[in-house]
Amino acid sequence: MYGVFFFFAFLILRFSRERRRIESSLKQSRARLEAEVQARTTDLTSVNAQLARVNIEYKTIFDALPFAIALFRPGRVVRRCNPAYEALTGWKAEELIGKIAALPESEIRTWREQEEGLRAGRPFFDYEGPRLRRDGSEFPASISAIPLFEEERAYVGLVGWILDTTQSRLQQVERQMLTVLVQHTPGFIGVADMEGAAVFVNPFGQKLFGLEGDDHVKRTNVLEFFADSERVRGQDKIIPMIVSLGHLEFETIGRNFTTGETFPLQCTGFAIPDAKTGAPAFIATVAQDITERKRSEEELSRRDVYLTEGQSISHTGSWAWHAASKRGFWSSELFRILGYGPNTVPPTPFTFHEAVHPEDRDGAEVAWQQAVTGRTSIDHKHRIVHPDGSVRYVHSLGHPVESVTEGVEFIGTVMDVTEQQKDREALRKSLKDNESLLEENKVLQDKLRRENISLQELNRALQGELADIQKTRFEQIIGGSPALQRTLVRVDQVASTDATVLITGETGTGKELIAQAIHENSKRARMPFRSVNCAALPATLMAAELFGYEKGAFTGADRQRVGQFELAAGGTLFLDEIGELPIDTQAMLLRVLEERTFERLGGSKPISADVRVIAATNRDLQVAMRAGDFRPDLFYRLSAFPIEVPPLRERRDDIPMLVTHFIALSAARHGRTIRNIEKRGMELLRSYDWPGNIRELRNVIDTSVIVANGELLSIDEEQLFAARSSEEAPMGSLQKDMANHERILIERALVETQGKVYGPSGAGAILHLPPTTLSAKMKALGIDPSKFKERST
């Protein structure tokens, strides 16, 4: 039992010892642990103090930033923002923190895309877009954002900053406006550095000086812009003064780099200072080409000289007086008229009245006061006394001119009429002394009037005899109107000669009858009169018709044929519609007219041509010459003696005689008996314009005779005045004149463009017509543009 007791005692003792050892060890460990905890606690307190200090510094910096910045959780939830952010958006911090930042509807989709990029670690900078203020208004902003992550790379939000770009946008717009203004200013704007090298010239300036782009500008020196005569002045005076004064207005002469031409310039130069030092860094110049202004000044100066000389010659001085400002003006001639030297006395009404003759002064002053108070015109004649005592007569005129800004100003003239006054006095004296001569002159005038009446009666008698003679000589030509008589006088003048005659006039006027009248009253009257219509024959047969041909001259020439020149030997050859003669045949005809010889086609023997040539046309050969359709040398050869046949509308007095003649012919031809024509019918015939002239009148009478029901002829008004095309309208009527005028303008344009209708250099552009419209007009007028192309080649 003791053994057990001792065993347990041993165990207890051992346990006690082990307990004491453990307790000792625990005490040591506790002491160490407490020391470690104390040390750790001390360190943590220090770290917390440091963190608090850093947080304060961070908040101070965050709040002091001059731009808006904020921390956001995912989804744009605001964690923190600085005062600048509050001021920019208008929200207070307590209204923002923990809430989603507002966005314009137009930016929500863009933000989602940006946040996806932030979650992927992609920041963005300087994004330009609108943002909202607390009042709902939008403002332009530049936004940047950097994503924030935890240690495990978990996205926890972002830090973003925003700048209000309203001012920068305005500045950008101002810069753009300034750039556009500089680029489009209709004047020179240039900048050069202090070494004289040009660094900028606006587009208008480049064009003015003949520069070929910005590279060309940068290769030039500022002195090269001056004309040679101004370069030394520019280097030694103008540029140094701009630098020293900072601003200078001056005139000079510029030079075009391409053409070398010079031109006057009105310039404003100024120095551009360096932004840091303030010293001049560049020289800028704004200039205007004042060529037109100089011309105007020269013209004004020249006109001033003319005015001064004119006033001196006419003894007329001019004056002006501004009532409100008491400013006056006298021309140099007015000083002279009043007996003063130029600008030796003040140009005022008071000075003028002092020069008025004492006996006329009251009247002159009353006239002046009435004009000033009533703002009426002045018209007064009076005398003036020169300082040397001589007296002159003057006529004063003036009227008020009212201006909204400057009030009333009187402008007028003073004319020295002394010589006219002396002449009038001398004339009155002369008239008084010669009253008996005037009475005698009246008697002589009465006698002369009576003798003149007798001469007029004699002249009418002689004209009647001349008309009877002409009627006998020109039996086939019916009429006695003045227009026709003038033509017949021309026929009578040229008939006895061998001169070539060109007869012009509208179609149907009887040009061939005039040609026959010339022939029948010439020394060739007993010889042949041959007539050829140049428009009726093909161009290929015209030469053969005129000059004949030898056997075998061409295919089908199986025998010799005599031409019209040989058939008309010793007589007259009438070439009607000469304007339609082919151009190659024109050359052959010119040779016959000049050399009086020709050869048959295929022949070599010259044949003498003793033939008088009379040509006729209804075309404007001047236009045909310009178009290349008629030879000028042939025209001048044919028109040695031109005769114009008047249209029937200019011979209305002849219509009754012609109607009677044609009624007789038609009645005989159709077996009818017509005694007379209705009065209304004759009035219609006389009032009609007759585009077809005598030929149309003959046809109208012939038709009326055929349809006549009795012996009294009537005219169908509806048929007579039926609508007709512009080509049928009479020359002289508005429609025909317009058509002819259009033809002339179009043909001139085609000559100038060598037949080209379309394009910027075509006839359409010259005439300001759409080419399609011009082509339609050409087709209607029968104008072929290919003829003008052939001429140009």
Side-chain angles (χ1 to χ4, degrees):
M1 185 173 186
Y2 285 106
V4 174
F5 174 79
F6 282 115
F7 176 74
F8 279 103
F10 174 78
L11 289 176
I12 292 172
L13 178 63
R14 188 173 179 181
F15 178 74
S16 298
R17 289 178 179 173
E18 188 65 24
R19 179 181 177 183
R20 286 193 296 271
R21 186 181 65 79
I22 291 172
E23 287 178 349
S24 176
S25 176
L26 287 174
K27 288 180 179 180
Q28 292 176 359
S29 297
R30 179 179 180 182
R32 287 196 302 272
L33 181 60
E34 289 178 350
E36 184 68 22
V37 169
Q38 183 67 32
R40 292 280 182 98
T41 301
T42 302
D43 292 340
L44 182 60
T45 302
S46 175
V47 168
N48 287 337
Q50 291 179 1
L51 288 175
R53 186 175 63 255
V54 169
N55 191 39
I56 292 172
E57 293 175 352
Y58 160 75
K59 185 178 184 304
T60 301
I61 295 173
F62 187 81
D63 291 343
L65 288 174
F67 52 85
I69 188 168
L71 296 175
F72 297 89
R73 293 190 183 96
R76 285 185 59 81
V77 177
V78 180
R79 289 174 53 192
R80 187 172 184 179
C81 64
N82 68 344
Y85 189 91
E86 297 177 31
L88 179 62
T89 61
W91 273 289
K92 296 180 180 180
E94 55 267 23
E95 296 175 316
L96 290 170
I97 295 174
K99 298 180 181 179
I100 298 175
L103 272 178
E105 289 291 335
S106 60
E107 290 294 300
I108 292 176
R109 182 176 178 181
T110 302
W111 167 248
R112 289 172 181 169
E113 295 174 356
Q114 291 173 338
E115 190 170 32
E116 288 179 5
L118 292 170
R119 291 178 182 275
R122 295 191 301 272
F124 64 86
F125 301 97
D126 300 326
Y127 166 71
E128 297 286 339
R131 286 297 182 263
L132 285 175
R133 289 192 172 93
R134 189 175 188 275
D135 59 5
S137 62
E138 293 186 5
F139 62 93
S142 174
I143 305 106
S144 302
I146 298 176
L148 300 177
F149 297 94
E150 290 184 340
E151 294 181 359
E152 292 82 3
R153 295 298 295 172
Y155 175 71
V156 296
L158 64 100
V159 57
W161 57 95
I162 180 171
L163 298 175
D164 185 350
T165 60
T166 302
Q167 291 299 322
S168 61
R169 288 281 183 88
L170 292 176
Q171 292 173 356
Q172 182 180 4
V173 170
E174 290 176 356
R175 286 195 297 271
Q176 291 175 347
M177 292 172 59
L178 181 60
T179 300
V180 171
L181 180 64
V182 170
Q183 293 294 325
H184 296 280
T185 294
F188 171 86
I189 299 177
V191 180
D193 61 23
M194 298 307 295
E195 301 298 324
V199 296
F200 170 79
V201 174
N202 68 332
F204 185 90
Q206 293 183 14
K207 181 179 179 181
L208 178 63
F209 281 88
L211 296 166
E212 300 175 355
D214 295 339
D215 291 339
H216 190 184
V217 170
K218 294 176 182 178
R219 296 195 304 269
T220 62
N221 186 280
V222 66
L223 292 177
E224 297 179 73
F225 288 77
F226 289 93
D228 294 342
S229 59
E230 287 285 285
R231 198 161 294 169
V232 174
R233 175 170 170 257
Q235 181 177 4
D236 296 344
K237 293 184 178 180
I238 295 176
I239 295 177
M241 289 180 69
I242 293 174
V243 174
S244 62
L245 300 176
H247 179 275
L248 180 66
E249 293 187 2
F250 60 95
E251 287 188 12
T252 187
I253 301 176
R255 179 183 68 88
N256 188 288
F257 284 76
T258 302
T259 64
E261 295 180 355
T262 59
F263 42 88
L265 294 169
Q266 175 67 49
C267 308
T268 300
F270 50 91
I272 301 176
D274 184 87
K276 295 181 179 180
T277 65
F282 296 95
I283 297 174
T285 302
V286 178
Q288 286 287 341
D289 183 353
I290 56 174
T291 302
E292 292 303 321
R293 194 190 81 184
K294 287 292 186 181
R295 289 175 182 169
S296 299
E297 289 176 352
E298 292 174 0
E299 179 67 18
L300 186 61
S301 176
R302 185 162 53 250
R303 291 184 179 183
D304 187 57
V305 172
Y306 295 158
L307 178 61
T308 301
E309 289 299 318
Q311 290 186 357
S312 176
I313 294 171
S314 63
H315 305 294
T316 303
S318 57
W319 57 270
W321 174 250
H322 193 273
S325 63
K326 308 300 181 185
R327 295 195 312 269
F329 163 78
W330 287 359
S331 67
S332 57
E333 183 63 17
L334 181 54
F335 278 102
R336 190 198 66 76
I337 290 173
L338 299 178
Y340 300 117
N343 301 316
T344 55
V345 294
T348 67
F350 316 107
T351 307
F352 182 86
H353 290 152
E354 290 176 359
V356 176
H357 194 283
E359 297 178 3
D360 300 339
R361 189 169 297 162
D362 291 342
E365 290 182 354
V366 169
W368 171 254
Q369 291 301 327
Q370 288 177 347
V372 172
T373 55
R375 296 185 179 181
T376 58
S377 297
I378 302 169
D379 188 347
H380 191 254
K381 295 179 181 179
H382 53 85
R383 293 167 292 175
I384 59 170
V385 181
H386 281 188
D388 61 3
S390 59
V391 177
R392 307 292 292 179
Y393 290 84
V394 298
H395 185 188
S396 298
L397 296 171
H399 67 275
V401 178
E402 294 194 31
S403 171
V404 176
T405 57
E406 298 186 0
V408 179
E409 182 177 18
F410 280 86
I411 298 175
T413 60
V414 175
M415 178 181 292
D416 186 343
V417 295
T418 304
E419 299 303 323
Q420 292 92 319
Q421 183 69 21
K422 291 179 179 179
D423 291 341
R424 280 194 293 270
E425 292 176 355
L427 180 60
R428 281 195 294 268
K429 185 175 182 300
S430 177
L431 290 175
K432 187 175 180 180
D433 294 340
N434 294 302
E435 287 181 357
S436 59
L437 292 177
L438 290 173
E439 187 64 30
E440 183 181 350
N441 184 49
K442 183 178 179 181
V443 173
L444 292 175
Q445 285 181 346
D446 292 339
K447 182 179 179 182
L448 180 62
R449 188 180 301 108
R450 290 193 298 271
E451 292 178 352
N452 187 38
I453 293 172
S454 299
L455 289 175
Q456 288 176 355
E457 293 175 351
L458 178 61
N459 184 44
R460 281 196 293 269
L462 292 174
Q463 286 180 347
E465 293 178 7
L466 178 61
D468 292 339
I469 294 172
Q470 288 181 340
K471 184 175 181 181
T472 302
R473 298 185 63 190
F474 309 116
E475 293 179 354
Q476 296 181 349
I477 300 175
I478 298 171
S481 63
L484 180 61
Q485 291 303 316
R486 288 193 294 270
T487 300
L488 295 181
V489 168
R490 297 279 290 173
V491 171
D492 190 51
Q493 290 173 340
V494 77
S496 60
T497 71
D498 274 342
T500 303
V501 180
L502 177 62
I503 304 173
T504 58
E506 299 175 16
T507 182
T509 53
K511 294 186 286 296
E512 186 168 354
L513 285 179
I514 297 297
Q516 289 176 351
I518 294 173
H519 171 74
E520 290 170 0
N521 288 276
S522 70
K523 59 186 179 182
R524 298 175 180 265
R526 297 183 178 275
M527 302 304 289
F529 176 85
R530 305 290 298 182
S531 176
V532 178
N533 190 328
C534 300
L537 289 172
T540 54
L541 298 180
M542 183 56 68
E545 176 69 20
L546 292 178
F547 307 112
Y549 54 83
E550 299 288 352
K551 181 179 180 181
F554 49 84
T555 302
D558 54 356
R559 61 184 178 83
Q560 184 188 72
R561 187 177 187 280
V562 176
Q564 293 293 335
F565 268 98
E566 289 185 77
L567 294 174
T572 302
L573 179 59
F574 175 56
L575 300 178
D576 198 7
E577 303 295 346
I578 189 68
E580 307 303 324
L581 195 67
I583 197 72
D584 52 349
T585 309
Q586 293 178 26
M588 302 171 69
L589 175 60
L590 179 64
R591 179 189 173 192
V592 176
L593 294 176
E594 291 183 343
E595 300 181 5
R596 294 292 178 179
T597 60
F598 66 94
E599 297 172 0
R600 298 193 189 103
L601 298 185
S604 58
K605 179 181 177 182
I607 300 174
S608 176
D610 180 18
V611 178
R612 180 182 194 168
V613 175
I614 300 176
T617 183
N618 60 5
R619 290 186 60 188
D620 187 343
L621 295 183
Q622 296 281 357
V623 174
M625 285 193 296
R626 288 192 291 271
D629 293 335
F630 203 84
R631 295 176 62 99
D633 46 7
L634 178 59
F635 170 77
Y636 296 121
R637 187 66 179 81
L638 289 173
S639 60
F641 194 91
I643 295 178
E644 175 75 19
V645 182
L648 184 55
R649 62 181 171 277
E650 296 179 7
R651 300 174 49 194
R652 297 188 189 275
D653 293 343
D654 294 337
I655 290 178
M657 298 175 61
L658 291 167
V659 168
T660 301
H661 175 72
F662 290 142
I663 288 175
L665 292 179
S666 295
R669 184 165 60 254
H670 300 300
R672 300 293 181 91
T673 300
I674 304 296
R675 301 293 184 185
N676 206 343
I677 182 172
E678 292 180 345
K679 182 178 180 181
R680 171 61 179 165
M682 183 61 76
E683 292 174 352
L684 290 174
L685 296 177
R686 288 177 65 91
S687 64
Y688 184 56
D689 282 335
W690 299 112
N693 293 291
I694 297 175
R695 183 182 294 115
E696 184 181 4
L697 174 62
R698 183 179 60 200
N699 293 337
V700 168
I701 297 299
D702 197 55
T703 301
S704 300
V705 169
I706 293 172
V707 301
N709 293 323
E711 295 183 355
L712 186 63
L713 188 69
S714 62
I715 302 297
D716 187 347
E717 181 177 0
E718 182 177 353
Q719 177 185 358
L720 184 63
F721 288 95
R724 56 184 183 270
S725 66
S726 62
E727 284 299 314
E728 295 170 340
M731 181 175 292
S733 70
L734 178 61
Q735 193 174 6
K736 182 64 176 180
D737 286 348
M738 289 176 63
N740 287 339
H741 188 60
E742 284 183 348
R743 175 186 293 277
I744 292 172
L745 291 178
I746 292 171
E747 288 181 344
R748 287 177 179 172
L750 290 172
V751 169
E752 184 176 345
T753 62
Q754 299 181 344
K756 186 177 180 181
V757 178
Y758 291 79
S761 60
I766 292 176
L767 297 173
H768 301 287
L769 284 176
T772 52
T773 303
L774 179 58
S775 297
K777 284 185 176 291
M778 290 167 55
K779 184 176 180 181
L781 295 172
I783 300 174
D784 183 6
S786 62
K787 292 183 179 181
F788 301 90
K789 293 180 181 178
E790 293 172 1
R791 182 182 179 224
S792 64
T793 56

